[in-house]
Amino acid sequence: MERTFFVTTPIYYVNAEPHIGHAYTTILADFIYRFNLSLGIDSYFLTGTDEYGDKIFTAAAEKNMTPQDYSDKISGKFRAEWDSIDIKYSDFIRTTDDRHKRIVQYVLQKIYDKGDIYFGSYGGNYCMGCERFLTDKEMVNGKCPDHNKETQYIEEKNYFFKMSKYQDWLLDYIDKNPDFIRPERYKNEVLSLLRSDRLEDLCISRPTSRLTWGIPLPFDNNFVTYVWFDALINYISALGYPDGDKFKKYWSAAQHIIAKDILKPHGIFWPTMLKAADIEPYTHLNVHGYWNMDDAKMSKSLGNVVTPRDLINKYGNDQIRYFLLKEMTFGLDARFNEDLIIDKINFDLANDFGNLINRTFNMAGKFFSGKIPEFGNDNAGRDDLVAGIKKSAEDYILFCSKFQISIGLERLWEFIRSLNKYIDDTKPWQLAKDNNTDKLSSVIRNLLEGIYGISVLLSSVLINISPQIIAALNAAGASSNLDALLSMNNLTSGTVLGELGILFPKIEKAKPEAKAESDKEKRMNETGLIDIGDFSKVDIRVAKVIKAERIDGSDKLLYLTVDAGQEQRNIVAGIAHVYSPEDVEGKKILLVFNLKPATLFGKESQGMLLAAKKSNKDKPQVIFIDDTIPIGARLG
């Protein structure tokens, strides 16, 4: 049976124009769609806009527009924004589309006929921002925690979906499918909601006496459909449920991507709705965190919104794609500022990858007249390179398949750094000076082959630059045959290399910022003090030591394997003269998570544990963490 893949973004609410938070979700979906296509998997990518409800009606009135005209305008901006940044969606659904309205009414009627929708009266705390009733437990100090605004008490007669009927089923389903919602912290959050109390039935209508902008209920025209019940159905209406070929082909492989603020509708409302309609659940719900500006969630109400087009015009499309995919550890919040973007471009793209390409192409031009050389007889080190790209590619595919893109990219960058080290170790310039053309040709060919392999693997991230590199190598392009790609033998000897120029120009930070940084460093040197911005750059997390062993040849070093929540890492710790491996195994420690890797005694250390000592003469004391604090928790 042919493998398929179906990825969705949330459909974006048209009460505001697209910002970088929307862009991240969409770029992530675009990446994972292209990534699966590159593996030869038949894939489909859905995005769109959510256009009904109180907020749209109000926003349109404020602009002296009809709700439809207002929706047309903002929906058009989302589509134009995605087109401008090369989002390769398969379909763009709008909830005002007739195809969607027809399926919403079909599903409503089906569940109504089943007896799972009833008419009743309800009074509760209504949040206009969320467009739903909040329970007392969900509110904080009488306010909606997401919008920090007081709710409005509304009491009215409406139609209700018997969501409580499916609570036990959903609990059992999640227990039997532990990766149904991922990462695990969000699965646990949904389970906590389900286990803490009985679910209330879901109010799925609004009376037309209060709101007319919505899809009429098929069994009562005096009511329109609650916006969340309507919006969630887009995931199947776009595929032509119930009889469409696309629904039959792709729904069983459905992967939803959402931000954590809409976990409850997608993690509870939607699966129970599907169950009531006798539709199999989606495969996975993939939940990401927020982009924070100065430790505050990016939102229109806070006035700290950044538009994707402005960033891309300033830094480049591929550069922003790489930053967003690399900077956010999936499931956790991430910091956003332009200094971080510049650092990612300068260090990862310009220094590591760009410099590798420039050095290699320049040497090929100087030593081989700009042509791809043949492998020489002396090809020492090639086996290590082939093993290295295979391991990096396998890890990249494994982690990206689980939506842990930042980790997957880091694994590829390990191979990129190894190619740079290969240049330093083999010293091609010295080989040329010594007239060792045989070995020199092998070195340059290996580097070009490595660059080709990495460029193909990165083609879902660097969607414009990877094809340029592949074209300059005069190679056929991406192949779904992974074994062939990773053979490090894909290029044609004697082929003339194309011109590339500087692919990732380094970016200078603005002079006022540089002066402020210089002044800050001066103050730090004078006082020893740092500000909160400096401290916040250090990512310290709780990790658990899974395995510890001594390093041969060292009396002070232990080699630790630790579980950091999102991944396992290996670190080298100078504590062997104080602690035995048994002393630390099973213990929780504090791990500096974003420290650049370093190699000690032939072992790569991917972080650093925190220990304390009174003076340099004292022995280090590891800071062990109480077992009640969860793995992956951040310090701060």
Side-chain angles (χ1 to χ4, degrees), residues 171-414:
L171 272 166
D172 182 64
Y173 189 84
I174 294 173
D175 283 338
K176 290 178 178 176
N177 299 273
D179 62 347
F180 179 58
I181 299 171
R182 56 190 189 185
E184 187 178 11
R185 70 192 64 215
Y186 297 111
K187 178 196 77 172
N188 292 337
E189 188 174 326
V190 169
L191 287 175
S192 178
L193 289 170
L194 291 170
R195 288 169 176 159
S196 62
D197 206 350
R198 293 303 300 173
L199 284 181
E200 293 185 353
D201 289 342
L202 181 65
C203 179
I204 62 162
S205 67
R206 301 291 182 262
T208 54
S209 59
R210 179 163 69 85
L211 178 68
T212 57
W213 183 238
I215 298 174
L217 296 184
F219 41 81
D220 192 335
N221 282 326
N222 293 312
F223 294 84
V224 295
T225 309
Y226 167 47
V227 65
W228 266 115
F229 196 97
D230 144 33
L232 290 163
I233 293 173
N234 92 90
Y235 301 128
I236 57 174
S237 67
L239 296 178
Y241 171 80
D243 299 318
D245 290 340
K246 290 174 184 173
F247 177 78
K248 295 175 183 176
K249 186 176 189 179
Y250 294 112
W251 177 248
S252 62
Q255 301 263 3
H256 298 320
I257 301 176
I258 63 164
K260 64 183 181 180
D261 57 339
I262 51 176
L263 174 61
K264 185 175 181 179
H266 283 82
I268 297 179
F269 297 179
W270 183 219
T272 55
M273 288 165 57
L274 289 167
K275 182 64 175 175
D278 299 317
I279 303 169
E280 65 178 304
Y282 49 78
T283 303
H284 295 297
L285 180 63
N286 304 282
V287 188
H288 67 75
Y290 293 145
W291 285 97
N292 291 333
M293 301 272 293
D294 298 323
D295 297 322
K297 175 192 171 186
M298 193 181 297
S299 71
K300 179 185 176 185
S301 60
L302 294 175
N304 61 357
V305 166
V306 178
T307 66
R309 195 176 305 188
D310 288 346
L311 280 177
I312 284 166
N313 288 341
K314 188 172 183 178
Y315 297 109
N317 195 0
D318 288 10
Q319 288 86 338
I320 293 301
R321 283 176 70 96
Y322 175 78
F323 167 76
L324 293 175
L325 294 169
K326 182 66 167 63
E327 187 66 17
M328 179 175 277
T329 300
F330 198 72
L332 302 177
D333 291 352
R335 291 175 59 243
F336 179 92
N337 63 57
E338 294 198 41
D339 279 354
L340 289 173
I341 295 174
I342 292 171
D343 286 344
K344 274 284 181 287
I345 292 171
N346 287 347
F347 296 143
D348 292 11
L349 296 176
N351 282 2
D352 290 340
F353 193 37
N355 193 39
L356 168 67
I357 295 167
N358 292 335
R359 295 168 79 187
T360 303
F361 271 61
N362 287 340
M363 289 188 291
K366 183 177 181 179
F367 303 140
F368 296 99
S369 303
K371 297 180 181 179
I372 298 173
E374 294 194 28
F375 292 111
N377 293 320
D378 185 351
N379 206 347
R382 172 176 167 79
D383 289 345
D384 290 340
L385 291 178
V386 172
I389 193 172
K390 284 183 177 178
K391 181 65 169 66
S392 289
E394 287 169 1
D395 287 349
Y396 172 69
I397 292 168
L398 172 66
F399 284 109
C400 289
S401 296
K402 297 189 293 185
F403 284 70
Q404 296 174 1
I405 317 301
S406 62
I407 302 172
L409 286 172
E410 180 57 30
R411 295 297 189 266
L412 284 189
W413 246 253
E414 289 174 2

Side-chain angles (χ1 to χ4, degrees), residues 502-521:
I502 304 299
L503 294 173
F504 306 102
K506 282 196 173 182
I507 301 171
E508 295 292 333
K509 294 181 181 179
K511 289 183 178 180
E513 292 179 13
K515 181 179 183 303
E517 187 69 21
S518 176
D519 291 343
K520 182 174 70 175
E521 289 177 2

Side-chain angles (χ1 to χ4, degrees), residues 405-468:
I405 317 301
S406 62
I407 302 172
L409 286 172
E410 180 57 30
R411 295 297 189 266
L412 284 189
W413 246 253
E414 289 174 2
F415 182 69
I416 290 171
R417 296 186 192 108
S418 76
L419 289 176
N420 279 310
K421 186 175 184 298
Y422 178 70
I423 294 175
D424 296 337
D425 290 345
T426 56
K427 298 180 175 58
W429 51 90
Q430 188 62 48
L431 295 173
K433 186 177 180 180
D434 297 340
N435 293 318
N436 191 348
T437 306
D438 183 72
K439 185 172 183 179
L440 177 62
S441 62
S442 292
V443 169
I444 300 303
R445 178 61 177 268
N446 285 332
L447 289 167
L448 291 170
E449 293 283 358
I451 288 168
Y452 170 74
I454 286 292
S455 299
V456 173
L457 290 167
L458 284 174
S459 60
S460 300
V461 183
L462 307 178
I463 58 176
N464 299 296
I465 293 174
S466 275
Q468 292 178 40

Side-chain angles (χ1 to χ4, degrees), residues 185 292 327-329 332-335 539-542 590 593 629-636:
R185 70 192 64 215
N292 291 333
E327 187 66 17
M328 179 175 277
T329 300
L332 302 177
D333 291 352
R335 291 175 59 243
D539 185 352
I540 300 174
R541 303 187 188 182
V542 174
L590 289 176
F593 190 76
I629 301 177
I631 295 170
R634 279 181 165 177
L635 184 70

